Structures are given as structure tokens and as C-alpha cells.
Amino acid sequence: MDFIDYYSILGIPKTASDEDIKKAYRKLARKHHPDLNPNDPEANKKFQQINEANEVLGNAENRKKYDQYGKDWQHAEQFEQARRQQSQQRQQSSTGNTGDYDFSDGFGGADFSDFLSSMFGQEGGGRQRSTFRGQDYQAELHLNLRDAYTTHKQTLTVNEKNIRITVPAGIENGQKIKLAGYGAPGVNGGPAGDLYITFVIADDSRYKRKGNDIYVDEEVDLYTALLGGEKIIETLDGKVKLTVPPETQNGTKVRLRGKGFPIYKKDGSFGDLYVQWQIKLPTNLTDEQKDLFRKIASL
Amino acid sequence: MQPDQLISVSEFCVHHHIEITFVQTLEQQGLVDTILVEQSVYVQPEQLPRLEKFVRLHQDLAIHPEDLDVVDDLLERLERLQSQVTRLQNRLVFYEPLES
């Protein structure tokens, strides 16, 4: 467990007044508050640190304890343990709670650092009997384009809990789905929050997606482009044989209806595949070939 | 909807250490909807995440309840712009060559 410098988190000197602490906290909280930075896990993490620093430094008693033990906080923990044991022995009927701090509000007490709980204890709950809904969780699921092409199952680990979900074919980059009841547990038996999963779909080196259509560049040699022929191309759905008409121009597009991306939650419906011919000129021509091209050019 | 399926505003306020007037202000600004059942005020469970967000903004950032509608409006705009950025990024991939 590393020592956490709450003063540096708030960007204030050790001599800062209570007013300075309050001001620094407010300034940083406004910048990093999760409600003002939706879908930004970094801001969430930063806000928790700021909040934790404020919980300690913003309370005179906590601050004194923190200032007193500083880097030797491990000794503070031992001291606190010994003090708690003595206190428990003296008051055998006591409930055993060691602090008045309620770190369970807002963005989840479980996320506060071990450092804080080791210093001040985190077992302060139990004063509320009302039931409340748990907080919502946000998660990202990274897929590649080929994964997104088919309906498949994925296992996510959210807060050490494995969740198996079905990802419908055709999901889009940035699309968000809600799994009701998979968020944080409710308070005092209240309903759990929801889990929001944002899909992040990586770009593909071959296929480009635009909505439900797919675009692909396909090379064709000069002779086939000039004289016509056939070409087998790879699609996300397997191989397809295409006819290249004679005198095909560079950049010509061919549309293959229904060979594009599956349409989200519309079974059996697909976008189109556009194949763009890229004519490849021959290189390393022999003298004979060059002569033949000169002859054609002079005709 | 029966009261046992609703969230009591007074209980909510006790839990979150806020004054009832806070929820009344939000209601007057059209930020949350309340329901009056036998002289008790309730909110629907679906309103809870939104209500809790306003409480956090008020308590963590000391935003005055009267100013929360402005914040809410700006957050909605931010969300719309973020969705628009994502949509445009998806389209941009189509026009820009991939870096290998």
C-alpha cells in the first residue's frame, strides 16, 4: 500500500487553511466530477482521489491524525488497531464501529483507497434503513469489425463479477446498451443499478464500414481490366466470384446487394458491399512487352 | 402506481441530508416529476438516478438548486455533441486511410 499525499492531490501546501482546502477541493471537483464528465473513467478515478483527500483534510480530526503520522501511516494503523482492541475490551457490549465517517455515499465507498480505510476505518454504515437503488456502472467492450459481424457471446468482468452477454450482429462503434440490474447493489435491499456497456469497434485494415454498408478496395491487373475476366474476392461472408467487364476503369465501383454488414437486430437483413477496382499496372516489363505497348500506343 | 412502488421524497431527503425544498425547486424547474398521493410526495423509481445526480452536483460542487437546470441543459448538450463526435468519427474512418 503506497503512501498517498492528499496535499499534493489537492495541490495545496501543508500549511493550507481550512478555507484553502475547501477552495482547492471545489475547484478540482468542478473539473473532475463524474456527472460533468460522463463516460470518462479517468475523471471518475481522479474525483475519487480528490474526494478522499477532502474527506481527510477537510475534517480537522482526520487531518490532525494524517499530519501526525504522515509517511509512517502504517504505525498509525497499528496504533489504531491497538486502540480499538483496548476500546472493545473496555466496552464489550459496544457495536464495534470505529468511525463516524460515511464513505458510502456518492460514487461508491468500495472504491476508496485501502490507505484511507486502513487509517480511519470504513465500517461506519448502518444508520439508514431506507432502501435505495444502487449506482449505475459504465463499461467498455472492445471488438473488431469481424466480431461485430456476427451475433456472439462475450464474457465481461465487472467489479470481479463475470457477466455473459450476447452481442447482436451489426452493433456500431460507440453504441451503448443497458443491462438492467447489473450495476451496484442497492442500499438496504433496494434494487441494483444498471450496467451500461459502450462498444468500441476497432477499424479494419481491409473493410471500411459506413452504416450498414461495407467498402473494400480490390486490385485487378491491367490485362483483366482491359480485356475482362473473373476475380474471386473475399467478403466477410466468404468468397464471391465477380465478373470484371472489359475496359473497366480504375476506381469503378460494383455494388453487391445484401453482402454488407448485418443490420442491428434485424435478422437476415444486410447492407451492401461496394467493391472498388484498383487497377494495378505491370512493372518490370521486358523489352518485348515494352515494344508491344509502343505498338498499341501508335495504333 | 401504488405508493409502495414509489420513492417517498421525505425519505429520500432524510437519506441524502437535503431539505425537501431542494426537490420542490427541481420540480418547479421541471427537472423532476413528483406525484402527490394522499398528501405525501413521491417520485417514480425511474427518476431516482436523475434526482441523485442533482443531489451530487448540489452537495459535491455546491451548485445552487436554481442553477441546476442550466447545468442539466449543458450536460444534455455535451451528451448530444459526444454522440455526434462518435458518429462523425465513424464516418471519418471511411475517408481516411488506416495507419498501418
Side-chain angles (χ1 to χ4, degrees), chain A residues 74-174:
Chain A
Q74 287 99 334
H75 298 305
E77 187 187 23
Q78 287 160 6
F79 170 77
E80 285 299 312
Q81 273 177 356
R83 190 185 64 75
R84 279 200 292 269
Q85 278 166 6
Q86 280 172 5
S87 167
Q88 275 172 359
Q89 281 163 5
R90 278 199 303 271
Q91 306 169 18
Q92 285 187 353
S93 62
S94 121
T95 56
N97 282 347
T98 55
D100 296 322
Y101 319 109
D102 183 2
F103 299 126
S104 62
D105 286 335
F107 298 94
D111 293 332
F112 279 93
S113 75
D114 294 340
F115 176 70
L116 180 70
S117 51
S118 70
M119 277 193 86
F120 304 110
Q122 206 176 4
E123 304 287 321
R127 70 164 188 261
Q128 302 301 333
R129 292 215 166 76
S130 316
T131 59
F132 287 95
R133 184 179 174 276
Q135 72 178 98
D136 294 336
Y137 287 156
Q138 303 281 343
E140 271 186 4
L141 185 55
H142 292 252
L143 302 175
N144 62 42
L145 195 71
R146 285 157 209 261
D147 291 333
Y149 184 81
T150 48
T151 297
H152 65 286
K153 293 198 184 297
Q154 286 266 348
T155 304
L156 286 175
T157 306
V158 179
N159 278 18
E160 295 171 1
K161 198 167 141 192
N162 285 337
I163 300 163
R164 199 162 162 76
I165 60 163
T166 301
V167 181
I171 197 123
E172 271 208 69
N173 184 38

Side-chain angles (χ1 to χ4, degrees), chain A residues 181-193:
Chain A
Y182 281 91
V187 177
N188 295 330

Side-chain angles (χ1 to χ4, degrees), chain A residues 30 33 35 127 173 204, chain B residues 17 56 60-61 90 94 98:
Chain A
R30 277 172 191 256
H33 198 281
D35 286 319
R127 70 164 188 261
N173 184 38
D204 191 88
Chain B
H17 313 287
R56 288 195 298 269
D60 297 342
L61 305 177
N90 288 348
F94 178 76
L98 282 179

Side-chain angles (χ1 to χ4, degrees), chain A residues 25-26 29-31 33 35-39 47 51 102 105-107 127-136 172-176 187-188 203-210 215 253, chain B residues 7-8 11-17 45-46 48-49 52-64 71 75 78-79 82 86-87 89-98 100:
Chain A
Y25 167 72
R26 284 271 154 79
R30 277 172 191 256
K31 192 174 168 190
H33 198 281
D35 286 319
L36 302 181
N37 296 273
N39 307 323
F47 181 75
N51 223 10
D102 183 2
D105 286 335
F107 298 94
R127 70 164 188 261
Q128 302 301 333
R129 292 215 166 76
S130 316
T131 59
F132 287 95
R133 184 179 174 276
Q135 72 178 98
D136 294 336
E172 271 208 69
N173 184 38
Q175 193 171 335
K176 202 183 249 193
V187 177
N188 295 330
D203 300 330
D204 191 88
S205 55
R206 176 171 162 80
Y207 302 102
K208 284 186 177 178
R209 181 181 177 186
K210 190 176 175 187
Y215 290 76
K253 272 186 198 154
Chain B
I7 312 279
S8 153
E11 261 189 55
F12 177 87
C13 291
V14 169
H15 178 82
H16 287 285
H17 313 287
E46 302 85 69
L48 204 52
E52 285 178 332
K53 181 175 85 174
F54 292 129
V55 172
R56 288 195 298 269
L57 290 170
H58 172 59
Q59 290 181 334
D60 297 342
L61 305 177
I63 296 175
H64 208 258
V71 176
L75 283 173
L78 176 73
E79 210 165 305
Q82 275 180 339
T86 307
R87 272 202 311 278
Q89 274 174 338
N90 288 348
R91 292 195 65 179
L92 198 59
V93 169
F94 178 76
Y95 297 104
E96 279 184 345
L98 282 179
S100 50

